[in-house]
Amino acid sequence: MSQRDKRMTADEVVSTLSDGMTVGIGGWGSRRKPMALVRAILRSSLRDLAVVSYGGPDLGLLCAAGKVRTAVFGFVTLDSIPYDPYFRKARESGAIAVREWDEGMFQTGLRAAAHRLPFLPMRAGLGSDVLESDRSLKTVRSPYDDGEELLAVPALHLDVALVHLNRADRHGNARYLGPDPYFDDLFCLAAGKRFVSCESVVDTADLAEGPPQTLLLNRMMVDGVVETPNGAHFTSCSPDYGRDEAFQKEYATAPWESFADKYLSGDEASYQKAVAA
Amino acid sequence: MTNMDVCVVACAELFRGDGEILASPMGLVPALGARLARLSFEPDLLLSDGEATLLTGDGVAEGWLPYRAVFDVVAHGRRHVVMGANQIDRYGNQNISCIGPHAAPKRQLLGVRGAPGNTVNHRTSYWVPRHSPRVFVPTVDFVAGVGYHRGGGAFHDVYRVVTDLCVLDFGGPSHAMRLLSVHPGVSVDDVVEQTGFPLVVEDPGVTRTPTDDELALLSTLDPTGARNA
């Protein structure tokens, strides 16, 4: 008997999703986003997604394509370009509902889901309009002598997590090689179904070369592995590649129709070919 | 000496006395200020490269601070952040989320980012590169950064605001915004005129100018003069 081979294509991943799902997307801003998986969602008929993301062009693209019902976010930025134009447009036209949380609340909400807890207490959010705008949020009082009132950050349960790492084996063990793991492990722990795309699938023995603490995901945390070289493009995937700033600028400034026509009308291979051209 | 040189030094002064904490400046001018402070009067400050590495004053990696660890520092409290502000009111409430009603904003901005957590956990200052009534408003459209009288709790500490015109704090009656100093060449009237609410003006001084050593340091830290752009 051998361990399960979890390799699949990006389109196979998306075929397991359904309308209305809550989808957590890893990475951060315009950094190591699972963009090939996002592009596969763009090619699908999926709609009404609730997207949970430290937002970047992942959320922007999904908004531009009309896939988003609700965005759960703390910020949406392209890093080198302050605001994502399509998220902005979706907000200003009232096309999407939002739950806008402090960044740290995200981590706490994901951790609560990962730990199968209904909530975790935290100070972030108290006194701000985050509590005014998301009426589902409640506070909790410490049962100890301090009696402090804290925010009860609700568990952020995800139907599915999509993350992109540098390397993985076919079983779902995966490693990041850049300076920051972001929160990709927490996204996986908070989700029912977990999919990791990677720059390359390698043998487990080759994956083990390097410091063990950069092996962010283990097999228990992953249901499907997708090999997508350049799959975080146009976000950064350090050290394999940096952000494609010129392309990102084109994304942010070109008319959507012409951008989508040029890059998003075919499959991932034709996307990569158009990018290389 | 340029106005921005004065602003950088005013941002450096934000960190005076902070000791061994993480300085988190957002934007070039506060970042130059933090590095200037570290290289002169606050050598124990910790500074990150803006990603996940802590750097010494000479740019040598001395530690690892990925975002997940930043949130630990925020909760632990050993941090002083200098954020931007699209809007700020008389009591230090700050907005970087949106203009107009939150449900249907006229202008979507960045989002609250870490502002709610920062302001209830540790010292927070603000940098406003263009002091105007559009920024200094009677009421912010969305409270991202928590001001006074909002129940910010035991660790709430909105310290100062540095702008291209002046330095402000919240030392007025009931923590109202107060003019601490005007930059050289700026009049008190200029500041009052560019502020969309009544400012507490007692006896403001003039913001100190950079020393020769500081100007020399600044020219190494920002050789192309990007701060003046």
Side-chain angles (χ1 to χ4, degrees):
Chain A
M1 290 286 283
S2 57
Q3 290 163 8
R4 281 198 293 153
D5 187 339
K6 298 175 184 169
R7 285 176 295 175
M8 53 201 297
T9 66
D11 290 326
E12 284 168 346
V13 167
V14 171
S15 72
T16 71
L17 311 186
S18 38
D19 294 349
M21 273 189 166
T22 299
V23 180
I25 302 180
W28 173 282
S30 191
R31 305 177 199 189
R32 221 181 66 231
K33 285 286 175 178
M35 298 297 278
L37 298 179
V38 169
R39 287 186 284 269
I41 293 177
L42 299 183
R43 289 194 295 275
S44 76
S45 62
L46 279 176
R47 50 198 293 271
D48 288 336
L49 301 177
V51 178
V52 177
S53 176
Y54 286 104
D58 52 330
L59 192 46
L61 278 168
L62 292 169
C63 285
K67 301 293 189 187
V68 181
R69 182 191 74 237
T70 306
V72 187
F73 75 106
F75 61 83
V76 182
T77 181
L78 303 175
D79 290 316
S80 51
I81 299 171
Y83 306 129
D84 180 282
Y86 298 109
F87 176 72
R88 179 164 227 182
K89 195 171 159 206
R91 282 286 281 138
E92 291 169 9
S93 65
I96 59 170
V98 295
R99 299 176 77 189
E100 183 171 349
W101 285 14
D102 169 86
E103 291 171 28
M105 283 172 63
F106 254 78
Q107 184 191 34
T108 300
L110 292 171
R111 183 171 287 145
H115 291 190
R116 303 183 296 176
L117 290 167
F119 71 89
L120 281 169
M122 175 170 216
R123 289 200 180 83
L126 297 173
S128 78
D129 279 346
V130 165
L131 274 76
E132 297 296 317
S133 65
D134 182 349
R135 303 304 295 213
S136 71
L137 296 171
K138 298 183 188 328
T139 59
V140 63
R141 195 167 291 284
S142 164
Y144 298 104
D145 289 345
D146 57 273
E148 194 176 349
E149 189 181 22
L150 296 160
L151 182 62
V153 181
L156 210 42
H157 294 289
L158 309 173
D159 293 311
V160 58
L162 307 176
V163 302
H164 184 83
L165 272 73
N166 301 84
R167 304 286 177 270
D169 67 14
R170 66 189 63 183
H171 312 298
N173 300 302
R175 150 168 284 154
Y176 70 99
L177 298 173
D180 200 319
Y182 308 119
F183 300 88
D184 291 353
D185 48 346
L186 265 183
F187 274 95
C188 288
L189 289 169
K193 288 281 182 187
R194 302 76 45 93
F195 299 101
V196 57
S197 61
C198 63
E199 290 300 307
S200 57
V201 171
V202 299
D203 287 339
T204 308
D206 295 329
L207 188 68
E209 281 175 21
Q213 63 270 27
T214 62
L215 288 162
L216 191 68
L217 306 180
N218 61 56
R219 290 185 286 119
M220 290 184 286
M221 300 159 73
V222 174
D223 298 291
V225 177
V226 183
E227 186 171 53
T228 57
N230 213 30
H233 182 270
F234 49 91
T235 68
S236 63
C237 188
S238 175
D240 291 317
Y241 44 89
R243 184 179 304 127
D244 187 340
E245 296 287 4
F247 188 95
Q248 175 162 284
K249 193 170 179 195
E250 187 178 348
Y251 159 76
T253 54
W256 171 251
E257 298 301 335
S258 68
F259 178 84
D261 189 55
K262 189 171 169 189
Y263 296 109
L264 301 171
S265 54
D267 61 7
E268 179 69 12
S270 68
Y271 172 84
Q272 295 292 350
K273 202 172 148 196
V275 168
Chain B
M1 181 193 73
T2 66
N3 183 46
M4 280 302 134
D5 294 343
V6 174
C7 293
V8 168
V9 169
C11 285
E13 286 291 337
L14 296 173
F15 299 104
R16 190 181 286 276
D18 276 354
E20 204 156 39
I21 62 146
L22 178 66
S24 293
M26 312 287 170
L28 178 66
V29 167
L32 289 170
R35 292 181 67 192
L36 196 65
R38 173 165 182 162
L39 290 168
S40 49
F41 55 84
E42 282 300 325
D44 290 332
L45 285 178
L46 286 85
L47 284 169
S48 113
D49 65 349
E51 294 216 18
T53 306
L54 292 169
L55 298 178
T56 68
D58 302 327
V60 175
E62 64 164 341
W64 186 47
L65 200 75
Y67 281 116
R68 56 183 61 200
V70 172
F71 294 144
D72 290 336
V73 177
V74 169
H76 189 57
R78 297 189 70 87
R79 184 169 184 250
H80 182 172
V81 68
V82 184
M83 289 188 283
N86 298 92
Q87 294 178 324
I88 189 164
D89 75 12
R90 191 173 191 215
Y91 297 103
N93 294 293
Q94 169 254 28
N95 176 21
I96 48 173
S97 169
C98 64
I99 301 297
H102 189 259
K106 206 157 58 187
R107 203 80 174 116
Q108 173 65 36
L109 304 168
L110 192 56
V112 295
R113 278 219 78 160
N118 293 341
T119 44
V120 298
N121 278 297
H122 55 68
R123 179 167 278 189
T124 299
S125 296
Y126 295 104
W127 158 242
V128 176
R130 267 195 298 275
H131 191 134
S132 82
R134 286 167 60 95
V135 178
F136 290 85
V137 293
T139 313
V140 302
D141 292 0
F142 195 84
V143 177
V146 178
Y148 291 96
H149 318 302
R150 293 276 305 198
F155 308 116
H156 181 254
D157 176 14
V158 182
Y159 182 53
R160 284 182 185 174
V161 184
V162 176
T163 81
D164 59 335
L165 302 181
C166 64
V167 180
L168 307 135
D169 73 357
F170 295 90
S174 309
H175 296 285
M177 195 184 281
R178 172 177 72 170
L179 183 60
L180 271 187
S181 68
V182 290
H183 299 342
V186 177
S187 75
V188 171
D189 286 348
D190 292 336
V191 176
V192 168
E193 198 171 293
Q194 292 302 317
T195 304
F197 50 78
L199 210 50
V200 178
V201 182
E202 285 157 356
D203 186 19
V206 175
T207 313
R208 82 166 175 90
T209 53
T211 64
D212 289 345
D213 285 351
E214 286 171 333
L215 284 174
L217 264 176
L218 249 181
S219 62
T220 10
L221 293 175
D222 181 26
T224 64
R227 63 192 179 279
N228 298 312

